[in-house]
């Protein structure tokens, strides 16, 4: 079983920045692909970013490409394993609940799909004011 806990959400003005973090625990995080999704009020959950287990490859939704950066720390100490989402040049349309997700195995065809991930966090709210 894997538990994912997101943090770092909050209220920011248009053009500002936030850094979200996801702390996985419960099993070997270093072998799992990780992703971020978001869900705005009244809309379906959508893909934001993906990073492979070793951090060698990343993938972004077109709407955040060039503004968001996903990264990970694969520490030997599992208490320090983290996945980050650095969000710059934020826009009101980025307002949503952001969810961290983990995948035991994710082929490239699944990187942007919800069913490509096995575990989900509870989400953290990001609000961008205009």
């Amino acid at each position: 079983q894997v538990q994912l806990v997101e943090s770092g959400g909050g209220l920011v003005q248009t053009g500002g920045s936030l850094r979200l973090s996801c702390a996985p625990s419960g099993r070997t995080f270093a072998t799992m692909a990780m992703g971020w999704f978001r869900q705005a009020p009244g809309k379906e959950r959508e893909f934001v970013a993906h990073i492979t287990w070793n951090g060698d490859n990343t993938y972004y939704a077109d709407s955040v490409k060039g503004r968001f950066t996903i990264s990970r720390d694969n520490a030997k100490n599992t208490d320090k394993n983290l996945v980050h989402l650095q969000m710059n040049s934020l826009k009101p349309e980025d307002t949503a609940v952001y969810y961290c997700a983990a995948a035991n195995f994710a082929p490239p065809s699944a990187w942007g799909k919800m069913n490509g991930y096995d575990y989900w966090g509870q989400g953290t709210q990001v609000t961008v004011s205009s």
Side-chain angles (χ1 to χ4, degrees), residues 34-108:
M34 303 295 295
W36 286 94
F37 285 72
R38 67 187 181 185
Q39 187 166 16
K43 295 187 177 181
E44 294 185 351
R45 194 171 299 189
E46 65 176 7
F47 168 74
V48 175
H50 171 95
I51 188 166
T52 52
W53 68 273
N54 57 5
D56 283 354
N57 291 287
T58 57
Y59 175 58
Y60 298 92
D62 288 343
S63 59
V64 306
K65 200 173 296 182
R67 299 188 299 124
F68 291 11
T69 302
I70 188 171
S71 61
R72 66 188 296 160
D73 302 322
N74 283 1
K76 291 184 178 180
N77 182 342
T78 56
D79 290 341
K80 296 182 179 179
N81 289 324
L82 293 170
V83 176
H84 305 287
L85 184 68
Q86 178 67 43
M87 305 185 296
N88 298 328
S89 302
L90 283 162
K91 306 174 182 180
E93 50 264 45
D94 294 318
T95 295
V97 177
Y98 282 71
Y99 297 90
C100 176
N104 291 314
F105 173 72

Side-chain angles (χ1 to χ4, degrees), residues 11-17 89-94 127-130:
L11 174 64
V12 65
Q13 292 185 334
T14 297
S17 298
S89 302
L90 283 162
K91 306 174 182 180
E93 50 264 45
D94 294 318
T127 303
V128 184
S129 63
S130 58

